[in-house]
Amino acid sequence: MFNRDKYINSPIDIEYELLFLLEREKVKNVFDIGACEAEDSIRYSSLFPNAMVYAFEPRADNIAIGQRSIKKYQRENIILENIALSNSNGVAEFFLSEGRPEDAGTEEWDFGNKSSSLLPPGEEMKKHTAWLRFNKTVEVDTIRLDEYAKAKQITTIDFAHIDVQGAELMVLEGAGSFLNKIKLIWMEVEAVELYKNQPLKNDVEAFMKRNNFVNILDTVNNIAGDQLYANLNYFEPLKIRAFTKARKRRSLKTKIKSFLRFNR
């Protein structure tokens, strides 16, 4: 059973990583790209109380759910944008996902709406998620990340969470030279081509290395997972080594999780 409120209010591992790497009170700008129903946006708005959270979601139905949740939690530091970040400004075809796995239960959580993409699904998608369907497309507005940042007078991004179903490099390409101003990036990465012509793990790693980012956390299995990248313009090697060692200290992790439970 998936409960939205429980998810929003329960600490998850990436929060521990972020609190170790960033000074909580000094974080000013967070980007949640591919925000879906804005649960993570709400989490980040609580984790970093002095930050503005910019959330991007192309699906209008997801936006409606996200707006209700933001209102419910009274989060005034979230800007929810009904737009897709990409490598160009304009309009693009957006492939809508829907469906429900047989073991999903009867709760209201929508599993099928979370795989929509600027890229069409590939043959591998059918093998791993036979219940997922892509029967509809819509046109969505797109904007480059650097153009958006310029319009909002954003000079740096402390943390970006990118989950856009195979279009992650399209988002990063759209950052242009502003990519150097993003301190941490947590993004979904695939090991197989779930979406047609998407970049795979090796492509992402090569792109990030060329742009002076180092991979400091990798959860990618033989299908997909997430990677955390630190910008070497902001993080010294000594800090990264300390991070690697600290992740092994379960007691420290427990302490931070306890902190999070009482500071939401």
Side-chain angles (χ1 to χ4, degrees), residues 176-244:
S177 61
F178 189 81
L179 186 58
N180 295 327
K181 301 298 183 180
I182 305 177
K183 298 178 183 179
L184 285 173
I185 297 175
W186 173 243
M187 64 178 159
E188 187 176 59
V189 178
E190 274 78 40
V192 296
E193 191 178 280
L194 298 180
Y195 297 87
K196 291 181 180 179
N197 301 317
Q198 73 165 106
L200 299 180
K201 185 172 183 284
N202 289 342
D203 303 309
V204 172
E205 291 171 344
F207 178 89
M208 298 303 285
K209 185 177 181 179
R210 287 197 304 271
N211 286 280
N212 207 34
F213 282 82
V214 60
N215 182 356
I216 59 176
L217 176 60
D218 190 338
T219 71
V220 181
N221 56 27
N222 61 339
I223 300 174
D226 296 283
Q227 292 182 331
L228 180 63
Y229 284 92
N231 188 335
L232 291 176
N233 293 326
Y234 294 94
F235 295 94
E236 297 289 339
L238 186 62
K239 179 72 171 181
I240 293 172
R241 286 196 294 271
F243 168 81
T244 301

Side-chain angles (χ1 to χ4, degrees), residues 19 22-28 47-51 259 263:
L19 287 179
L22 299 170
E23 295 184 61
R24 183 175 189 246
E25 302 296 330
K26 293 183 178 181
V27 172
K28 297 301 181 184
L47 187 66
F48 302 115
N50 297 326
F259 166 83
N263 287 273

Side-chain angles (χ1 to χ4, degrees), residues 126-170:
K126 299 176 185 178
K127 297 178 184 178
H128 298 292
T129 52
W131 56 270
L132 196 62
R133 301 186 301 276
F134 291 83
N135 296 326
K136 303 175 184 176
T137 63
V138 294
E139 287 191 340
V140 298
D141 293 326
T142 64
I143 189 171
R144 290 175 56 92
L145 191 155
D146 54 5
E147 292 286 341
Y148 183 88
K150 181 180 179 181
K152 294 293 184 178
Q153 297 183 319
I154 297 169
T155 57
T156 59
I157 297 173
D158 297 281
F159 170 63
H161 179 178
I162 309 176
D163 186 355
V164 289
Q165 306 302 307
E168 284 75 18
L169 285 196
M170 294 172 68

